Amino acid sequence: MDIFVTGASGYIGGSVAERLKAAGHHIIGLVRSDAKAEQLRARGMEAVVGTLDDARLLAEQAKRADAVVNAANSDHRTAVEMLIRSLAGSNKPFLHTSGSSIAANDARGEPDERIYRRLEEVTPEPEKAARVRVDQRVREAADVGVRSVVLCNTLIYGHGLGLQRDSVQIPALVRQAQRSGIARHVGRGLNRWANVHVEDMADLYLLALEQAKPGSFYFVENGEASFQELVQAIADALGLGEAQSWPAEEAIAEWGFEKAMFALASNSRVRSDLARTELGWQPRHDSVVDWVRRELRQG
């Protein structure tokens, strides 16, 4: 298949593009610069230069391709609408990337017992309500002849398979610890996030491309850990002693409100039951804490 992938130079999009290419598909990747385009071509992919705001380009590429993977921006409603309009009536696969911060809460390092398995169970915080509406819009595209699928990723770890090596959450914690000499979690760090290894995530995109029914929604998860566990693993690997609590206000000053509160201080506890039962997904990596200790000590 010819597959149009937005965000093809990013951590998620690049990893998915490499996995799909390895399965024999031809990738047309959307990138922002000529330099990135050259890097993509060097990896055996086709590249087009543009952004999600280039409506005409998106329409042309979606109509040309046999399938579309949107991995550039989970919240860009205008681009999603254009892709759906361009794919309507074709029954082509449209895989849209979301993130499990839709299930996050303003916990500031405190625990929460709620666990989610379906989008319908989630009542998002106001800051994430727009993303949920985008996810719902993608699912509704099934009604106009699009084989639309939402893949809702959790905390992703592991080295990217494409041009971008590092993810968002763990590297931010590592950089802060290295710079300050103190490994810190927000508040008590008892907040928990579901997680998934980047290779397992990419495998699920391939399965969804091949098998998912129109209007499907899948959480992408294989285990969970508290941020106290994660940060202590960072401290152990870097030889920094005991991880320490950090007031939310100081974490916000370091990372900004969005990253501090929704990516690092919240709970996002979801389960991938549907991906396993409907698509036969069998992830192979199951311990983010072990990965952190091993990789930091090696690197």
Side-chain angles (χ1 to χ4, degrees):
M1 296 171 68
D2 290 336
I3 304 176
F4 178 50
V5 179
T6 70
S9 63
Y11 179 71
I12 294 174
S15 298
V16 171
E18 287 288 348
R19 183 66 185 90
L20 299 181
K21 181 170 74 73
H25 299 293
H26 174 68
I27 305 301
I28 306 104
L30 179 67
V31 294
R32 289 177 173 270
S33 69
D34 291 333
K36 293 291 187 184
E38 286 303 314
Q39 290 178 287
L40 218 59
R41 293 182 188 116
R43 288 173 170 262
M45 302 180 199
E46 187 176 341
V48 291
V49 178
T51 73
L52 292 182
D53 294 317
D54 296 330
R56 183 174 179 179
L57 183 150
L58 293 183
E60 290 173 350
Q61 295 300 326
K63 290 175 181 177
R64 168 195 171 193
D66 300 311
V68 174
V69 177
N70 181 31
N73 186 332
S74 300
D75 303 310
H76 202 302
R77 179 68 180 256
T78 304
V80 166
E81 293 288 356
M82 176 54 67
L83 291 170
I84 291 173
R85 191 153 55 247
S86 303
L87 295 169
S90 69
N91 293 312
K92 294 177 182 178
F94 174 38
L95 309 186
H96 174 71
T97 302
S98 184
S100 71
S101 62
I102 62 170
N105 60 349
D106 188 358
R108 305 193 178 220
E110 290 300 306
D112 192 310
E113 297 304 313
R114 288 174 292 181
I115 295 175
Y116 305 96
R117 289 175 168 81
R118 299 174 181 270
L119 178 61
E120 293 82 0
E121 299 169 357
V122 175
T123 302
E125 295 288 333
E127 294 86 349
K128 294 298 175 181
R131 178 175 294 184
V132 170
R133 288 194 292 272
V134 172
D135 292 349
Q136 291 170 334
R137 178 70 184 99
V138 172
R139 298 182 75 188
E140 291 166 0
D143 298 332
V144 295
V146 181
R147 186 156 70 84
S148 58
V149 183
V150 177
L151 291 147
C152 191
N153 294 313
T154 54
L155 182 154
I156 309 174
Y157 65 98
H159 299 314
L161 308 179
L163 298 181
Q164 185 171 322
R165 179 179 184 269
D166 293 329
S167 59
V168 175
Q169 288 156 295
I170 292 174
L173 295 167
V174 171
R175 286 192 296 269
Q176 189 287 132
Q178 291 172 326
R179 185 171 60 252
S180 68
I182 303 170
R184 296 182 173 105
H185 46 72
V186 182
R188 293 197 294 164
L190 300 180
N191 55 306
R192 301 181 69 83
W193 261 68
N195 55 71
V196 66
H197 192 278
V198 65
E199 294 174 3
D200 292 327
M201 176 213 71
D203 286 345
L204 183 53
Y205 274 72
L206 178 60
L207 287 171
L209 176 74
E210 295 171 343
Q211 302 179 31
K213 296 178 181 178
S216 297
F217 177 96
Y218 299 108
F219 284 119
V220 188
E221 163 275 334
N222 190 40
E224 69 172 24
S226 73
F227 274 81
Q228 195 282 330
E229 292 174 295
L230 279 174
V231 174
Q232 188 59 58
I234 292 169
D236 292 343
L238 298 178
L240 299 179
E242 290 297 314
Q244 296 185 22
S245 175
W246 214 14
E249 294 73 18
E250 294 183 26
I252 292 170
E254 170 78 16
W255 291 308
F257 183 84
E258 175 77 15
K259 181 180 286 187
M261 292 298 96
F262 285 101
L264 301 173
S266 62
N267 294 276
S268 181
R269 307 184 65 190
V270 303
R271 297 292 183 267
S272 60
D273 301 6
L274 290 177
R276 297 165 194 269
T277 57
E278 293 184 3
L279 302 181
W281 183 49
Q282 296 180 323
R284 295 163 290 140
H285 306 270
D286 62 2
S287 178
V288 63
V289 173
D290 288 348
W291 182 87
V292 167
R293 286 200 174 97
R294 182 177 63 253
E295 291 300 317
L296 287 183
R297 283 171 178 156
Q298 290 175 353

